[in-house]
Amino acid sequence: MQSYSIFSLARHALSGHKNWRPAWRAATPRRRYKVIIVGGGGHGLATAYYLAKVHGITDVAVLEKGWIGGGNTGRNTTIMRSNYLWDGSAALYEKSLKLWEGLSQDINYNVMYSQRGVLNLGHNLQDMRDIRRRVNANRLNGIDGEVLDTAGVKQRVPFINTSADARYPVLGASWQPRAGIARHDAVAWGYARAADDLGVDIIENCEVTGVRREHGRVVGVDTTHGEIGADRVGVVVAGHAGVLADMAGFRLPLESHPLQALVSEPLKPMLDTVVMSNAVHVYVSQSDKGELVIGAGIDAYNGYGNRGSFQTMEHFLTALIELYPIFSRLRMLRHWGGIVDTSPDASPIIGKTPVDGLYFNVGWGTGGFKATPGSGWVFAHTLATGEPHSINAPFSLERFHSGALVDEHGAAAVAH
Amino acid sequence: MLLITCPWCGPRDESEFSYGGEADIVRPPAPEAIDDAAWADYVFMRTNTRGLHREQWVHAHGCRRWFKAERDTVTYDIRATWPMNEEAP
């Protein structure tokens, strides 16, 4: 692999930047692999990378129906944090946050991880009680967190509307200093390049059309490039998990919904942290280019349409203007929707399926980007050993039979 | 925004309605007689159809009555709506 550094940049500058090699090979699929990963988003590429790096399994193909990072990896608001209430979720997202902290060095690719902190606002007495409980739970789990009052919020974001007669008065917030944002495209490209360097085949424009099974065991997949055999198959898709499960002959407790976000015209630096409000369901941060990145909740109905509805947009923009009157004349540049698979308990499904050798890592709902490294790390362990790691054991499909849900939706009072 | 035809009130804006999820899910007649997997299938598992999807809506800010609809989950076109106790047209 050509190492990226200030010296390589200077050396290539001398030759007019004409001799850079592609970051990963355009691999042609072989007939058989030890492990096939379906889905070339951040989670799938991270899985491939940790399979090769941590477990020494390099006979791996990543099959992507479109192009690398063209799905939800490139359709999110790039916020990462680990301030979840339950021990199971806290362990999973904190593992991820720890990996984020060293990721750029680990994969020699600048993912522009910026630990600028996240505020989760509270607007009423119950919000503040939930915030205190969650911050206490976080600290018991070794995760940084503080409870701020109104003045503390105002100090960090001076232009937020904290007047007492606001429709949603700001009574305080939880504050996680280690949280932040990263550049989403770089995450996909960096993992793809690092996995490719270790021998993983990344095959773009290769859609999986069927899951081959013999005697209850997976033996490979049918694709638009023909049949490819495999000992183990890991499905890491967003939006279409149910379609893949249908190919393998079982059902999932997931429903697909559109989730939308938008980006404003570029402004001078004004917001140096991330502010989320679950009660009014809007979250905002400022990108390095100066654009405000604004996210919302999902559309209520099931949909695969890759676009959001106008009344959802109106709902979160109304909340935005109420909280930040300074944004009222802002013009929006881009708007997009992605399809998210939401589960009944707002937690992902990572582990075994009713088919031997077939593993699923799906159902991340609206909060998958932050988990990219940790998700890949635990799923690589699951694919390599055939058993879940202790971190992803609580996130089995079985939990919907046993009733041991990881119910972050009701308890955390944070957006997902 | 969707234009949804309430079987009683006619075509109205989507914002007047609330979504009620997948239609035709029947509660097992004898819950005590089935195992955990069958119960989980009833409570949690969904078809999550890509294409024509039968679902429930309620005209929350109108006549407040429930009805069923068949809607394409890719194009969002609504093929038909009809009252809960009737057969699909």
Side-chain angles (χ1 to χ4, degrees):
Chain A
M1 184 166 72
Q2 53 187 354
S3 178
Y4 293 161
S5 68
I6 184 74
F7 304 108
S8 68
L9 192 62
R11 200 167 55 248
H12 281 280
L14 294 176
S15 57
H17 293 296
K18 288 174 186 159
N19 299 320
W20 290 103
R21 292 200 301 278
W24 61 88
R25 295 164 292 133
T28 23
R30 298 202 297 270
R31 289 181 59 92
R32 179 161 193 87
Y33 290 91
K34 192 165 185 197
V35 178
I36 284 178
I37 293 163
V38 181
H43 289 231
L45 294 164
T47 305
Y49 172 66
Y50 292 116
L51 261 178
K53 187 192 170 212
V54 181
H55 304 280
I57 300 172
T58 57
D59 187 14
V60 177
V62 178
L63 309 183
E64 166 56 44
K65 76 172 174 181
W67 65 93
I68 293 306
N72 284 4
T73 301
R75 290 172 182 269
N76 53 72
T77 50
T78 80
I79 300 165
M80 55 207 56
R81 57 190 174 83
S82 61
N83 54 355
Y84 282 69
L85 177 69
W86 297 117
D87 293 351
S89 333
L92 180 60
Y93 292 101
E94 179 61 13
K95 173 71 192 172
S96 212
L97 200 59
K98 289 218 169 86
L99 289 169
W100 278 119
E101 287 176 328
L103 188 61
S104 292
Q105 287 72 29
D106 186 28
I107 60 176
N108 181 230
Y109 203 103
N110 187 4
V111 298
M112 298 166 78
Y113 180 36
S114 162
Q115 290 183 290
R116 58 184 63 189
V118 165
L119 290 163
N120 291 91
L121 302 180
H123 300 287
N124 55 45
L125 185 59
Q126 189 58 45
D127 277 1
M128 292 312 298
R129 285 173 176 159
D130 288 341
I131 282 171
R132 273 191 202 94
R133 179 185 181 215
R134 180 163 51 77
V135 168
N136 284 338
N138 291 159
R139 294 173 76 127
L140 287 170
N141 274 319
I143 296 168
D144 58 325
E146 289 170 43
V147 179
L148 302 182
D149 59 9
T150 307
V153 175
K154 193 82 179 167
Q155 189 192 351
R156 286 190 166 76
V157 188
F159 54 83
I160 201 164
N161 178 11
T162 53
S163 65
D165 59 353
R167 172 69 183 82
Y168 299 103
V170 177
L171 302 187
S174 70
W175 166 245
Q176 188 185 16
R178 286 163 62 239
I181 57 173
R183 180 166 180 229
H184 46 15
D185 292 329
V187 175
W189 298 336
Y191 270 124
R193 172 171 168 269
D196 173 88
D197 182 58
L198 294 172
V200 172
D201 279 358
I202 294 165
I203 300 153
E204 295 174 89
N205 300 308
C206 179
E207 183 172 354
V208 170
T209 54
V211 177
R212 288 188 166 260
R213 288 163 290 157
E214 278 174 19
H215 312 296
R217 188 175 171 80
V218 72
V219 294
V221 292
D222 293 317
T223 75
T224 47
H225 289 3
E227 181 190 341
I228 307 175
D231 297 340
R232 283 177 183 163
V233 175
V235 171
V236 200
V237 301
H240 291 70
V243 178
L244 265 297
D246 196 40
M247 289 178 197
F250 59 92
R251 293 195 338 140
L252 289 174
L254 300 179
E255 292 194 295
S256 302
H257 294 267
L259 174 69
Q260 58 186 327
L262 37 79
V263 162
S264 76
E265 59 191 330
L267 305 170
K268 292 197 172 175
M270 63 185 303
L271 180 61
D272 63 356
T273 182
V274 182
V275 192
M276 312 181 68
S277 168
N278 193 43
V280 296
H281 230 132
V282 66
Y283 34 99
V284 60
S285 65
Q286 188 170 24
S287 75
D288 292 336
K289 285 187 286 185
E291 302 157 331
L292 292 177
V293 184
I294 302 158
I298 57 173
D299 284 2
Y301 52 72
N302 290 22
Y304 289 88
N306 264 340
R307 62 183 186 274
S309 68
F310 282 102
Q311 76 267 22
T312 302
M313 212 187 300
E314 187 178 14
H315 175 80
F316 73 81
L317 287 177
T318 310
L320 182 81
I321 303 304
E322 169 69 18
L323 270 176
Y324 315 95
I326 195 175
F327 294 160
S328 63
R329 294 185 188 177
L330 203 57
R331 284 166 296 192
M332 297 300 161
L333 278 192
R334 296 192 302 280
H335 163 253
W336 66 90
I339 302 305
V340 296
D341 294 324
T342 57
S343 66
D345 58 357
S347 290
I349 297 163
I350 320 168
K352 296 178 180 180
T353 68
V355 180
D356 281 347
L358 179 66
Y359 301 85
F360 265 47
N361 179 358
V362 298
W364 286 91
T366 63
F369 179 75
K370 71 172 83 68
T372 303
S375 159
W377 195 88
V378 297
F379 199 47
H381 178 96
T382 307
L383 281 168
T385 63
E387 294 296 325
H389 189 273
S390 61
I391 292 177
N392 66 317
F395 298 92
S396 69
L397 186 54
E398 273 294 302
R399 74 179 187 269
F400 296 100
H401 296 177
S402 68
L405 304 184
V406 189
D407 193 5
E408 282 291 335
H409 216 56
V414 292
H416 282 272
Chain B
M1 190 180 292
L2 303 180
L3 190 64
I4 301 172
T5 305
C6 170
W8 294 277
C9 310
R12 298 294 181 94
D13 280 348
E14 178 189 346
S15 54
E16 293 187 14
F17 297 86
S18 293
Y19 185 61
E22 185 176 328
D24 309 323
I25 296 172
V26 180
R27 183 185 167 91
E32 67 282 3
I34 60 173
D35 63 9
D36 288 349
W39 184 250
D41 197 76
Y42 158 66
V43 177
F44 294 120
M45 304 298 161
R46 296 291 178 262
T47 62
N48 199 21
T49 311
R50 182 184 162 85
L52 279 179
H53 184 239
R54 283 169 69 130
E55 56 196 21
Q56 310 175 113
W57 289 83
V58 58
H59 195 184
H61 300 290
C63 65
R64 301 179 63 186
R65 280 195 274 194
W66 285 87
F67 58 94
K68 292 185 188 177
E70 190 168 59
R71 185 179 59 94
D72 191 309
T73 55
V74 180
T75 64
Y76 300 164
D77 290 336
I78 298 171
R79 193 190 66 79
T81 57
W82 63 95
M84 294 296 274
N85 56 353
E86 290 179 14
E87 290 298 310

